[in-house]
Amino acid sequence: SVLVDLAAANGGNVAQTEANKVLSTANGVTIIGYTDLPSRLASTSSTLFGNNVAKFLLSIGPQTTKEKGIFQIDMEDDAVQNMLIAYDGEARWPDKITPFSPPPPPPKAADDTVELSEEELLLAANEQQKAGFIRNAGIASAASFALLAFGFNAGSSDDVSLLATFALAGLAGYQVVWGVAPALHSPLM
């Protein structure tokens, strides 16, 4: 594992962090405590971008034939043939560029839909609401019995206070995570 401590300049968030040093713990965790990370990011991003460009250029030709010393542009690859503006002295733009078209969606299976009357729809909605109510009532009852059992068996009031704090933190965390866009759920976890 690798920990990058962004607060290394102010003492760090990890106890073993030392400013401007890279340390390894006894369990094999590497702790990076650089204080100049913003100045290092430009060179890192340039290296990563250059690596991507080099891999793309290699995918155009040298690795398509699998023979050393032979360079052949793979015109079957959509990405390659659409990036070429000219080939063999002949202009390809805009006439000979194959427009990208996504694959067709899979065919849908034929559904046999059944029309329900208003009474049947109302009856189905009532049954669904009743089933949800019974399920939620069962969950609430089980949670209440669990809390009562914990309260009776708790050794001190500190245990009850700790459980209350944990429960409130769980509820607040749930509200925070579900109150944002789904793309942000993983960073919040």
Side-chain angles (χ1 to χ4, degrees):
S1 297
V2 177
L3 295 172
V4 180
D5 197 340
L6 298 176
N10 297 327
N13 291 327
V14 180
Q16 293 88 355
T17 300
E18 292 183 27
N20 296 317
K21 290 187 179 177
V22 177
L23 304 171
S24 290
T25 64
N27 352 359
V29 176
T30 303
I31 302 171
I32 300 174
Y34 294 140
T35 58
D36 60 346
L37 279 175
S39 66
R40 292 173 182 256
L41 293 179
S43 64
T44 302
S45 63
S46 294
T47 302
L48 292 173
F49 178 71
N51 188 26
N52 285 343
V53 170
K55 296 289 186 194
F56 181 64
L57 290 175
L58 287 174
S59 75
I60 292 173
Q63 295 181 351
T64 58
T65 62
K66 306 291 186 213
E67 295 178 30
K68 190 172 181 137
I70 296 177
F71 185 86
Q72 178 182 353
I73 295 178
D74 184 9
M75 294 299 284
E76 299 298 318
D77 187 358
D78 286 338
V80 172
Q81 70 103 1
N82 283 336
M83 66 156 254
L84 294 175
I85 295 174
Y87 184 65
D88 281 339
E90 182 181 329
R92 293 182 40 81
W93 178 262
D95 302 332
K96 296 183 181 166
I97 301 294
T98 306
F100 173 76
S101 60
K108 293 183 178 181
D111 278 342
D112 294 332
T113 57
V114 177
E115 296 286 329
L116 298 176
S117 66
E118 279 192 39
E119 288 108 20
E120 291 172 330
L121 288 173
L122 183 61
L123 184 62
N126 285 340
E127 287 296 322
Q128 186 177 9
Q129 183 179 11
K130 182 179 176 183
F133 177 78
I134 291 172
R135 180 179 48 85
N136 289 340
I139 291 171
S141 298
S144 298
F145 286 128
L147 286 174
L148 281 173
F150 179 79
F152 286 129
N153 295 322
S156 67
S157 62
D158 291 339
D159 294 339
V160 175
S161 176
L162 184 64
L163 178 67
T165 303
F166 176 73
L168 289 174
L171 290 172
Y174 176 82
Q175 291 300 318
V176 167
V177 169
W178 285 109
V180 298
L184 298 176
H185 285 186
S186 294
L188 288 175
M189 297 293 199

